[in-house]
Amino acid sequence: MNQKTLTILLHFFGILAFLCIPIFSSPDFSWAFDFLHIRGFQRDFTSYVLFVLFFYVNYYQLIPRLYFTDRKKMYFLCVVLSYLALSGINKLLFFSFEPHHLPIHSPHSHFPFRHQPLNMPIGSDFFKFLLVFLLSFLFRINNRLTDIYEEKLKAEVSYLKAQINPHFLFNTLNSLYALTIQKSDAAPDAVIKLSNMMRYVVTHSDSDRVPLQSEIDYIADYIALQRLRISEPNNLIFEVTGNTSDKFIAPLLLIPFIENAFKYGVNSEQNWHIDIRIKITDDDFSMFVGNQKVSIPIHEDGSTEQGIENTSKRLDLIYPNKHSLQLADLPDRYEVDLKIHWS
């Protein structure tokens, strides 16, 4: 049984159990089901149906569209209005049925009619509504946290594959080997940068937030290692401006865009150019990555495309309505323009 089917079944039996409450708690309950014709029961049952409706409206519409988008005042106003609307609808449906208009005995039963007042105390419906509200709110929050955690796990796996895959290691180690043959002074520094990258992925990929400077250092090490195999260093521009102090960001959020630029933007036999610019202000973070498209070996895998897709989902989950991501896939050029608002 897959997860989707299990979820549907859980919702079905949950609704069924909830709607059974007014049935089995009715003082007029009998297996002959004569109580179904009693107005007091009908009103009570209708209120439960309306609460189920509110549960799903709150779960699928109000919370995602208002609460998760930082319009909390509007959200709680809609919740209050929903309660008033549900109470009003139920009263309007049964308003014309006054106690003195009802028969003394139910026409479909052999026992006296036990009338339940239609004007029930406001506290009765309120606490039912409050219970439904809390359940839908907690379930939605838990669902969101689960989604974030799952996307985070997918991203971590994707990044681990991207950073510790044979292509990256082969290219880096091959460059290191060339440096050692030349007895270059750059070899020890390159080994340290590779070590720092591996340590960062292993120790920080499971964190919710990391210092922005650490993330930029990781990118800088990655670019420095990529420079080892680049014969035209002037074709690569990497600039960082602004103050990173007291700034934090989700880990490994930026590297897929940069990896993509190197994968599709470097070929020594063609005219290529990569432009990476990061700007930090007190209000937001912005990153531009642009590269000319060049021919690539056909054996390259699609890890960077999957990484960008995962990153886009992570941005939606971690920075809802606090970021903008524009991807321009032009005939001869690919550009990424990312902005994240700190507040």
Side-chain angles (χ1 to χ4, degrees):
M1 183 181 298
N2 58 41
Q3 184 64 35
K4 184 177 181 180
T5 303
L6 179 61
T7 301
I8 293 174
L9 289 176
L10 287 174
H11 279 263
F12 173 77
F13 286 110
I15 294 172
L16 187 62
F18 184 74
L19 294 181
C20 283
I21 295 176
I23 296 176
F24 292 107
S25 63
S26 172
D28 299 304
F29 174 78
S30 73
W31 290 109
F33 295 103
D34 297 323
F35 63 94
L36 296 178
H37 303 282
I38 299 175
R39 296 298 178 183
F41 168 79
Q42 292 175 355
R43 180 202 180 281
D44 197 32
F45 186 80
T46 301
S47 69
Y48 276 79
V49 173
L50 292 174
F51 291 152
V52 170
L53 177 63
F54 169 74
F55 178 96
Y56 286 102
V57 170
N58 190 42
Y59 187 90
Y60 286 109
Q61 297 296 324
L62 297 183
I63 297 177
R65 293 177 180 272
L66 297 178
Y67 188 84
F68 288 160
T69 56
D70 285 336
R71 291 185 286 175
K72 294 183 174 60
K73 290 183 179 178
M74 179 64 69
Y75 169 72
F76 287 110
L77 176 61
C78 288
V79 170
V80 173
L81 292 177
S82 296
Y83 170 71
L84 295 176
L86 293 181
S87 300
I89 291 173
N90 209 20
K91 288 181 179 180
L92 286 174
L93 289 175
F94 296 92
F95 179 76
S96 60
F97 297 101
E98 296 295 335
H100 60 272
H101 292 153
L102 294 173
I104 298 176
H105 292 82
S106 171
H108 301 281
S109 65
H110 301 289
F111 52 84
F113 173 74
R114 304 179 198 174
H115 172 65
Q116 295 180 358
L118 296 179
N119 297 321
M120 297 177 69
I122 189 171
S124 177
D125 279 350
F126 175 76
F127 286 112
K128 294 174 190 175
F129 179 86
L130 183 61
L131 175 63
V132 171
F133 162 73
L134 291 175
L135 286 175
S136 61
F137 187 83
L138 292 176
F139 285 162
R140 187 63 187 185
I141 293 295
N142 180 70
N143 181 261
R144 179 176 174 82
L145 293 175
T146 301
D147 287 344
I148 292 175
Y149 181 71
E150 290 178 353
E151 290 301 329
K152 185 177 176 182
L153 288 181
K154 290 179 183 178
E156 288 173 12
V157 172
S158 175
Y159 296 139
L160 287 171
K161 288 180 178 179
Q163 304 310 323
I164 314 178
N165 67 61
H167 297 299
F168 176 77
L169 287 178
F170 175 79
N171 291 333
T172 303
L173 294 176
N174 192 43
S175 300
L176 288 173
Y177 176 73
L179 291 176
T180 56
I181 291 296
Q182 301 168 8
K183 297 183 179 180
S184 170
D185 293 336
D189 184 56
V191 172
I192 291 175
K193 292 184 184 300
L194 180 60
S195 176
N196 288 340
M197 286 186 63
M198 299 305 171
R199 184 182 299 109
Y200 184 85
V201 170
V202 172
T203 60
H204 293 292
S205 61
D206 60 345
S207 302
D208 293 329
R209 295 288 191 277
V210 295
L212 178 59
Q213 186 60 53
S214 298
E215 184 78 359
I216 292 178
D217 289 343
Y218 173 79
I219 293 172
D221 287 341
Y222 177 85
I223 293 175
L225 291 177
Q226 291 288 2
R227 284 184 184 274
L228 297 177
R229 66 185 184 93
I230 292 174
S231 57
E232 304 88 3
N234 292 332
N235 290 1
L236 171 62
I237 297 176
F238 175 51
E239 292 182 355
V240 179
T241 58
N243 185 8
T244 61
S245 300
D246 300 323
K247 302 291 191 305
F248 293 83
I249 195 171
L252 301 170
L253 193 66
L254 311 174
I255 194 66
F257 303 115
I258 296 172
E259 287 178 338
N260 191 69
F262 278 98
K263 176 180 176 180
Y264 293 104
V266 176
N267 188 330
S268 59
E269 299 179 357
Q270 294 181 248
N271 182 28
W272 65 273
H273 182 80
I274 295 179
D275 191 2
I276 303 171
R277 301 176 189 270
I278 295 175
K279 183 179 179 181
I280 304 106
T281 67
D282 291 337
D283 297 322
D284 53 40
F285 167 93
S286 61
M287 181 179 75
F288 173 83
V289 180
N291 66 274
Q292 290 180 265
K293 292 181 178 179
V294 299
S295 300
I296 61 171
I298 59 175
H299 67 266
E300 290 282 353
D301 58 37
S303 60
T304 54
E305 293 93 328
Q306 186 64 43
I308 288 177
E309 182 180 347
N310 289 341
T311 300
S312 180
K313 292 179 181 178
R314 289 183 72 202
L315 285 166
D316 291 337
L317 291 168
I318 301 173
Y319 300 103
N321 282 5
K322 291 186 178 182
H323 80 282
S324 64
L325 175 62
Q326 298 179 351
L327 305 176
D329 193 356
L330 306 174
D332 60 346
R333 186 171 176 80
Y334 191 86
E335 295 181 349
V336 176
D337 194 356
L338 170 65
K339 290 186 179 180
I340 299 176
H341 305 288
W342 300 124
S343 58

